[in-house]
Amino acid sequence: MNDVLIILFAANGFDKGAQGLAGAGRRLADELGVSLRAVVLGEGAEAVAVEVARVADAVVVADQAELVEYQPETCLAALAQVCGELKPRAVLLANDTYSQELAPRLAHRLGGSAAGDCVEVRAEADVLRVGRQVYGGKAHAVLTLKRAPAVVWLRARSFAPAAPREAAGEVTRAALNIQRDARTRVVERRREAGGETRLEEARVIVSGGRGIGGPEPFETELRPLAELLGAQLAASRAACDAGWVPPTWQVGQTGKKVTPELYLAVAITGASQHMAGISEAKTIAAINTDPDAPIFKHCRFGIVEDYRKVVPLLREKLKEVMSDE
Amino acid sequence: MNILVCLKQILDPEVPARDFRVDPVRREAEQGSANLVTNIFCENALETALQLRERAGAARITVLSYGRPTAEDSLRKALAMKADAAALVLNESEGAPDPLAVARVLAAAVRRLGAFDLIMTGREAGDWGAGQTGGLLAEELGLPCVSFVDTIEVGDGVLRLKRQTDSGWELFEAPPPVVVTVTNDEHNVPRIPKVRDVMMSYRQPLTKFTLTDLGLAADGNDYYEVAELFVPQKETRCDFVSGDTLDEKVEAFARQIVKAVDSSQ
Ligand SMILES: Cc1cc2nc3c(=O)[nH]c(=O)nc-3n(C[C@H](O)[C@H](O)[C@H](O)COP(=O)(O)OP(=O)(O)OC[C@H]3O[C@@H](n4cnc5c(N)ncnc54)[C@H](O)[C@@H]3O)c2cc1C
Ligand SMILES: Nc1ncnc2c1ncn2[C@@H]1O[C@H](COP(=O)(O)O)[C@@H](O)[C@H]1O
C-alpha cells in the first residue's frame, strides 16, 4: 500500500532505461518513506525480475501466456489488476512505446492522474509534482498531480540508476485472472533493420536533416562518416517525413530522446522540437550553411559550410587525425 | 463508415525560441504576434482519414474541437481539406483544461454526434505535449485504443492499423469501433487546401455546443494543475572553426570531433 511501483517490459531487458526507472523509483520511495516494488511483464520476465530484485524491495512477475506477446488491452487489464492489488501511491514507467500508450489509460482505470515524458518527479509533503518540457521544449513546467495514484512516464535514461540493496527483493508471480481481450490484435510485428546498438544507447550520433536533400546522401555521405566514428545514424522529422529514412530514426520531442557523447547535426536547423530530443547530449556539433541557424546556439563547435563540401573532406581529415594518435 | 477526427488549435509551435515568452502568473505562453494553427498531429490524423475515405469510398468524416471561438478556423480549414462536417464545443472558462477535462468533454460530444467506427486524435499536442487525450477518451468511451498509428486500411469488417514502435512497426486488426492516436510518417503529410476551398468552407454549416448543451459543468481541473511555467536559460557558445581555406577549417573540425569522442572514453 502506498508504495512506489515501477513497470518494466521484459522485452527491453534491464537496460539503461529500466535502471534509470529503478533509480527514480527508489529516490521517490525514499522521499515518501515507502518501499519500491516492480512488476515485470512479458516473455522472459523472470530473468529480468532477478536483476531488478537487486535494487527493488519486491518484484512481481507477470508472464502468463496471455501476456507473452504484447497486446495493449490485455496488458492494460493485467496492470490494472496488479495495481488494484498493490494500491501504489505512484506508478512509474519508462518512455518506450508501450509505456506511453498504457500510462494515461492505466491512470484512468485507477482513478489517478498521469503525466508524461517527465524529467523530474518529487514528493512535497503528500503532493506529487513532476517536471517536463512543454511548448516543444521552449519552456519547462512543473505539474501538480491531483489524483492518486500518480502514473508517470519518465525520460528514464536520464535518471541515475539505483544502488544495489544488501538483500535482494523477493520475487513472486502475480496471481492474475486475465482474459484475452480480442478487440484489438497485433497480427504482425517488425523490427526496422538498424545498427547493433539502439539509438538511445549510442555514444556517437550523426544526424541528417532536410538540407541533406534526398535519401542517397544518407547512404553515400553520412553512413561512411558514421562508420568511421562508430556512430549511429539519425534524422530530423523533416527527413523522416520526406521518406528518406525510416521513422525509427527520428530524434526529438516526438522521436527518440538520445544521450550521446557527441551529436553531429548535419543540415538540421535545430528547431526546439528537435533539440528536445538531444538535451542530454554531452557535445553537440553542427554543419550548416546558415550561420544564424538556431542549432549553433546549442553547439560546442560548428562549421558554416555546405555539407556536400565538408563531409567528404571531413572523412579524409578524420582518418588522418585518428591515425596520428 | 463514420470517422471522427479530434482537432486542437494551438499556438504556432514553430515560433522561434527567441520570440517565445511565457506569462508566469497565468502559466501560459504569451501569444505575441504568433498565429494560432491546427496541431500538426491532428492534421496528420485528418490526412490519414481523408486517404482512408479515398480508398474505402463510403466514409463520412466529422471534425471536432473543444476550444475558444478561434478554433472555428481550424475546423474551417479541415472542411476546406474536405472533411464532411464540423463541430465546436466552446470553452468559456479561463485557463487551459487538463487532459481528463478535455477527454470528458470530447466524450460527451461524441455521444451527442452519433456512432463512430473510428475515432482519431493526434499522438500529442504541440503546445503542452500531454500525449494523453486519445487514451483517456478511449477510457471515457469504454473503447480499445491503438497509439502511434500512421496508416489505416479497411477490409472484411476490420480496420488494419499500422503503428510505429520504438524499433519498427506493428500491424493491428481491430473491428470497429476503436480509438487511434496518429503520428507522422511520409504518407500522411497534410494536404494544403485550395484558397477557394478555404473561402467556401466559411459558408458550410458548423455545429456549436456549449458545455451546458452537452449537460456538462465547467468543473475546472481535477487531474493536474500547472504549478510553474518558465523558460529555462541555457547558453552555449559555439566555437566556429576558423581557417583561411576549407581544408584548414575542416581539419580543425575533425580535431574537435575526435577530441569530443575521445574525451568520453
Ligand atoms: C508537435 C511537433 C513535434 C515535432 N517533433 C519533432 C521531432 O521529434 N523531431 C524533429 O526533428 N522535428 C520535430 N518537429 C518538427 C520541427 O519543428 C522542425 O520542423 C524540423 O525539425 C525541421 O527539420 P530540419 O531541421 O531537418 O529541416 P529545415 O528546418 O528545413 O532545416 C534544414 C537546414 O539545413 C540547412 N541546409 C540546407 N542545405 C544545406 C547544405 N547543403 N549544407 C548544410 N546545411 C544545409 C539549412 O540552413 C537549414 O538550417 C515537430 C514539430 C511539431 C509541431
Ligand atoms: N481541445 C481539444 N479539442 C479537440 N481535440 C483535442 C483537444 N485537446 C487534445 N485533443 C486531441 O488529442 C490529441 C493529443 O493531445 P494531448 O493529449 O493534449 O497531447 C490532439 O492531437 C487532438 O487530436
Side-chain angles (χ1 to χ4, degrees):
Chain A
M1 294 272 265
N2 283 326
D3 290 337
V4 173
L5 178 70
I6 57 173
I7 296 178
L8 300 167
F9 291 93
N12 297 330
F14 195 52
D15 66 355
K16 196 175 165 210
Q19 291 169 33
L21 188 60
R26 174 58 73 192
R27 281 183 293 279
L28 183 61
D30 287 348
E31 281 175 32
L32 289 165
V34 299
S35 314
L36 174 67
R37 294 171 182 274
V39 50
V40 188
L41 286 126
E43 188 161 26
E46 186 137 14
V48 178
V50 171
E51 291 189 77
V52 184
R54 294 203 191 107
V55 294
D57 302 308
V59 187
V60 174
V61 172
D63 60 356
Q64 281 80 348
E66 294 84 359
L67 300 173
V68 161
E69 288 256 353
Y70 177 80
Q71 303 281 355
E73 304 305 318
T74 311
C75 203
L76 179 59
L79 282 175
Q81 265 186 44
V82 172
C83 293
E85 288 280 315
L86 297 177
K87 301 204 173 15
R89 173 69 183 87
V91 181
L92 306 184
L93 302 95
N95 56 353
D96 55 286
T97 309
Y98 300 161
S99 297
Q100 286 186 49
E101 92 169 328
L102 295 181
R105 301 182 68 197
L106 182 62
H108 194 283
R109 288 198 187 182
L110 303 175
S113 295
D117 201 22
C118 298
V119 293
E120 179 191 15
V121 51
R122 60 175 196 257
E124 279 170 23
D126 198 32
V127 181
L128 283 191
R129 294 226 162 88
V130 297
R132 59 191 303 273
Q133 292 189 329
V134 293
Y135 290 104
K138 290 195 264 278
H140 183 89
V142 176
L143 306 179
T144 306
L145 303 184
K146 296 178 86 170
R147 314 201 316 171
V151 180
V152 178
W153 75 97
L154 300 169
R155 290 198 180 179
R157 283 185 170 72
S158 317
F159 289 80
R165 313 294 284 174
E166 272 173 26
E170 192 192 2
V171 179
T172 52
R173 177 160 275 106
L176 293 170
N177 170 21
I178 328 168
Q179 252 93 53
R180 234 180 265 264
D181 184 334
R183 287 180 300 171
T184 67
R185 213 158 51 87
V186 181
V187 293
E188 197 179 343
R189 182 171 274 138
R190 283 287 170 81
R191 293 186 79 84
E192 207 68 71
E196 282 298 296
T197 35
R198 276 187 276 179
L199 204 46
E200 293 93 329
E201 240 110 275
R203 283 189 54 256
V204 184
I205 292 174
V206 173
S207 191
R210 195 192 327 253
I212 296 295
E216 297 83 15
F218 272 93
E219 289 306 318
T220 56
E221 299 295 339
L222 299 193
R223 188 177 294 283
L225 176 62
E227 277 165 6
L228 209 57
L229 292 167
Q232 294 280 101
L233 285 169
S236 71
R237 169 168 172 164
C240 296
D241 278 359
W244 300 341
V245 297
T248 45
W249 289 28
Q250 184 178 318
V251 164
Q253 180 191 344
T254 50
K256 300 273 152 59
K257 315 290 188 298
V258 297
T259 55
E261 298 293 327
L262 174 68
Y263 186 89
L264 177 56
V266 188
I268 291 177
T269 310
S272 66
Q273 293 88 359
H274 185 78
M275 302 319 290
I278 55 176
S279 53
E280 302 278 320
K282 188 158 166 223
T283 302
I284 299 170
I287 306 172
N288 200 302
T289 41
D290 176 7
D292 296 321
I295 186 86
F296 287 126
K297 298 230 157 39
H298 305 264
C299 280
R300 187 83 65 76
F301 57 98
I303 182 166
V304 181
E305 278 292 349
D306 190 326
Y307 89 89
R308 286 167 296 190
K309 287 199 235 150
V310 174
V311 172
L313 190 55
L314 180 59
R315 290 202 300 266
E316 296 315 310
K317 295 291 177 193
L318 280 171
K319 281 181 205 153
E320 284 172 29
V321 176
M322 291 196 286
S323 67
D324 280 356
E325 292 188 349
Chain B
M1 188 160 69
N2 258 328
I3 305 174
L4 180 81
V5 183
C6 300
L7 303 179
K8 184 178 188 193
Q9 187 185 48
I10 62 169
L11 187 72
D12 186 352
E14 312 240 335
V15 175
R18 62 172 182 276
D19 299 332
F20 181 84
R21 308 266 182 290
V22 298
D23 179 334
V25 179
R26 278 192 313 123
R27 296 181 214 109
E28 272 181 40
E30 286 177 7
Q31 189 179 340
S33 58
N35 294 320
L36 296 172
V37 301
T38 309
N39 176 37
I40 179 70
F41 293 109
C42 304
E43 292 200 330
N44 294 133
L46 177 58
E47 180 60 39
T48 307
L50 292 165
Q51 289 178 21
L52 179 61
R53 188 181 62 187
E54 281 156 16
R55 284 195 305 271
R60 181 181 157 83
I61 301 171
T62 304
V63 286
L64 168 67
S65 188
Y66 172 44
R68 308 283 166 201
T70 52
E72 183 171 336
D73 293 331
S74 282
L75 293 167
R76 297 276 175 207
K77 185 181 176 199
L79 289 170
M81 288 165 79
K82 298 292 181 218
D84 299 290
L88 172 62
V89 184
L90 283 165
N91 176 6
E92 293 164 317
S93 49
E94 298 252 317
D98 68 34
L100 182 61
V102 173
R104 285 180 181 147
V105 170
L106 296 178
V110 167
R111 290 193 198 100
R112 176 63 64 91
L113 291 167
F116 293 96
D117 302 294
L118 176 61
I119 295 174
M120 306 171 79
T121 73
R123 67 177 286 171
E124 70 183 59
D127 49 2
W128 287 93
Q132 300 205 38
T133 308
L136 294 175
L137 178 59
E139 291 300 305
E140 286 289 320
L141 296 169
L143 294 178
C145 180
V146 179
S147 307
F148 313 118
V149 168
D150 64 27
T151 314
I152 306 179
E153 273 162 22
V154 270
D156 301 331
V158 293
L159 292 158
R160 300 170 69 79
L161 312 161
K162 186 168 147 277
R163 73 93 161 255
Q164 295 176 16
T165 63
D166 297 317
S167 56
W169 51 265
E170 291 171 345
L171 184 66
F172 279 74
E173 282 184 359
V178 60
V179 176
V180 305
T181 82
V182 174
T183 193
N184 60 297
D185 93 325
E186 64 179 294
H187 304 292
N188 65 14
V189 178
R191 65 195 62 190
I192 314 273
K194 297 197 191 77
V195 176
R196 186 173 167 278
D197 289 334
V198 174
M199 280 156 53
M200 294 288 286
S201 75
Y202 280 85
R203 295 201 210 143
Q204 283 172 260
L206 185 145
T207 312
K208 284 186 192 165
F209 301 110
T210 60
L211 291 188
T212 322
D213 293 337
L214 296 175
L216 299 172
D219 289 336
N221 294 336
D222 70 349
Y223 194 65
Y224 62 53
E225 219 167 47
V226 183
E228 286 171 53
L229 179 68
F230 58 91
V231 176
Q233 298 302 329
K234 45 173 186 232
E235 286 213 355
T236 311
R237 209 188 53 81
C238 179
D239 174 9
F240 288 103
V241 292
S242 54
D244 292 333
T245 62
L246 181 68
D247 197 87
E248 281 176 27
K249 278 162 65 175
V250 175
E251 181 166 330
F253 196 66
R255 287 191 189 285
Q256 297 249 42
I257 286 184
V258 171
K259 216 164 79 191
V261 176
D262 278 354
S263 68
S264 67
Q265 272 164 354

